[in-house]
């Protein structure tokens, strides 16, 4: 991550690295909507969310609910307040009935067990109320966040809450950490297993505990994210991006991208506000 990427934002949106003590566990922290949420704002939002391979923690500071479903036809689940978004291998749909302030963190592999007390694979593919892991302290933190006057103050409060849990932390297995440090350059899982010093079965089990996904699925998600960035930043033809991203051909990329992201590479590339995580959708 470059210095320019370490911290970016505006008066109502901040994304930055966490304090140094959290960096072995947290990839980044973010806050959106620095001012108190306005209950009179009722603008609806609908987004298709691409998988990242990471576990996310988010605390909404609006009383308005969030609706999440795995497909456009599936019955959506209602969420309020604070939640954990487990690692996923496919997209999901997110809808809200109002703009809302929020604060959150993207966790590194192994951090779910360290900071939430739950292995990542137990959270994978689903959203879970943060209170299930943190109990009453979750509501106490949300109350302090509601009283904060800026996005930066909210980030400091979140970091303090995460730091308070570090005495309970246990590190990711060093063999898994070694393999993670070399992904996605490792083209075969057996190379990652050999690097870890674990047996194949032990490596798969410990990797799932730390990341939430199997190693092969995790590599597919990393490739999807790299492809999404390439589609947004390069004008190269699709077949060239497919080969550069490690797909056998353009058809292979199109099949896998569509399955995991919910849209074709062409549609994703042409969407005006798409990122490697969000794809805003028309309000129905």
């Amino acid at each position: 991550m470059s210095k320019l990427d370490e911290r970016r934002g505006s008066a109502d949106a901040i994304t930055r690295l966490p304090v140094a003590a959290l960096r072995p566990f947290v990839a980044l922290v973010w806050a959106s909507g620095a001012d108190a949420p306005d209950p009179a704002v009722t603008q609806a939002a609908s987004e298709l969310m691409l998988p990242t391979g990471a576990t996310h923690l988010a605390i909404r500071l609006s009383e308005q609910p969030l609706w999440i479903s795995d497909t456009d036809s599936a019955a959506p689940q209602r969420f309020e307040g604070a939640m954990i978004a487990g690692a996923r291998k496919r997209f999901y749909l997110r809808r809200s009935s109002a703009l809302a302030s929020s604060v959150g963190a993207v966790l590194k592999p192994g951090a779910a067990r360290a900071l939430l007390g739950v292995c990542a694979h137990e959270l994978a593919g689903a959203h879970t109320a943060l209170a299930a892991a943190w109990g009453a302290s979750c509501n106490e933190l949300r109350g302090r966040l509601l009283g904060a006057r800026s996005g930066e103050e909210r980030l400091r409060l979140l970091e303090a809450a995460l730091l308070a849990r570090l005495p309970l932390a246990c590190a990711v297995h060093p063999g898994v950490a070694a393999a993670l440090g070399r992904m996605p350059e490792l083209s075969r899982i057996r190379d990652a297993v050999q690097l870890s010093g674990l047996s194949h079965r032990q490596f798969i089990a410990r990797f799932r505990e730390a990341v939430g996904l199997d190693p092969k699925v995790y590599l597919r998600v990393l490739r999807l994210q790299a492809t999404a960035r390439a589609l947004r930043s390069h004008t190269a033809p699709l077949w060239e991006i497919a080969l550069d991203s490690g797909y056998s051909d353009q058809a292979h990329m199109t099949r896998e991208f569509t399955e995991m992201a919910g849209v074709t590479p062409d549609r994703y590339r042409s969407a005006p506000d798409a990122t490697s995580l969000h794809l805003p959708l028309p309000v129905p």
Side-chain angles (χ1 to χ4, degrees):
M1 181 178 291
S2 70
K3 290 294 182 183
L4 290 176
D5 290 328
E6 286 186 7
R7 179 169 179 164
R8 64 185 185 275
S10 62
D12 62 353
I14 303 171
T15 301
R16 64 165 172 77
L17 292 174
V19 293
L22 285 174
R23 291 182 190 178
F25 305 94
V26 178
L28 60 86
V29 292
W30 54 265
S32 63
D35 297 326
D38 183 354
V41 176
T42 57
Q43 180 179 339
S46 182
E47 294 179 298
L48 185 150
M49 306 295 293
L50 278 64
T52 66
T55 299
H56 297 244
L57 184 157
I59 304 174
R60 286 170 56 83
L61 303 179
S62 167
E63 299 304 321
Q64 298 295 330
L66 188 69
W67 300 91
I68 292 172
S69 58
D70 287 326
T71 68
D72 204 18
S73 59
Q77 291 180 282
R78 176 188 173 115
F79 290 92
E80 297 177 355
M83 69 194 77
I84 306 163
R88 285 177 177 261
K89 62 181 181 181
R90 295 185 72 243
F91 70 95
Y92 67 92
L93 300 175
R94 185 176 74 176
R95 296 186 178 91
S96 58
S97 58
L99 299 177
S101 297
S102 57
V103 62
V106 179
L107 305 187
K108 290 185 175 181
R113 185 174 181 183
L115 297 174
L116 304 174
V118 183
C119 292
H121 70 85
E122 297 179 56
L123 302 167
H127 284 71
T128 305
L130 182 59
W134 282 7
S137 63
C138 175
N139 291 331
E140 294 169 2
L141 171 60
R142 187 168 181 270
R144 293 194 296 273
L145 291 169
L146 284 168
R149 297 184 178 181
S150 68
E152 186 58 45
E153 183 180 352
R154 287 174 181 161
L155 288 184
R156 290 195 294 270
L157 288 169
L158 176 62
E159 288 171 325
L162 293 171
L163 285 168
R165 302 189 69 83
L166 282 185
L168 306 176
C170 51
V172 63
H173 188 280
V176 173
L180 282 166
R182 295 282 300 278
M183 289 184 170
E185 66 182 84
L186 298 174
S187 58
R188 299 178 300 179
I189 299 304
R190 71 180 183 182
D191 293 334
V193 172
Q194 184 175 5
L195 183 64
S196 73
L198 298 167
S199 70
H200 187 274
R201 179 177 294 180
Q202 288 175 324
F203 177 76
I204 299 298
R206 289 185 177 273
F207 193 98
R208 288 183 68 237
E209 287 179 0
V211 177
L213 304 173
D214 291 340
K216 185 177 293 186
V217 173
Y218 183 69
L219 281 173
R220 289 179 64 201
V221 172
L222 291 183
R223 181 166 62 179
L224 173 79
Q225 287 282 305
T227 304
R229 290 192 293 271
L231 288 168
R232 300 300 294 177
S233 59
H234 302 303
T235 58
L238 291 180
W239 66 264
E240 185 175 322
I241 290 178
L243 295 180
D244 288 345
S245 299
Y247 297 99
S248 58
D249 53 30
Q250 181 178 332
H252 179 203
M253 178 184 72
T254 298
R255 287 194 305 273
E256 186 155 306
F257 195 96
T258 303
E259 175 194 348
M260 299 178 71
V263 293
T264 64
D266 256 336
R267 182 183 171 192
Y268 174 81
R269 179 182 241 179
S270 63
D273 299 318
T275 70
S276 59
L277 177 60
H278 301 258
L279 179 62
L281 299 174
V283 177

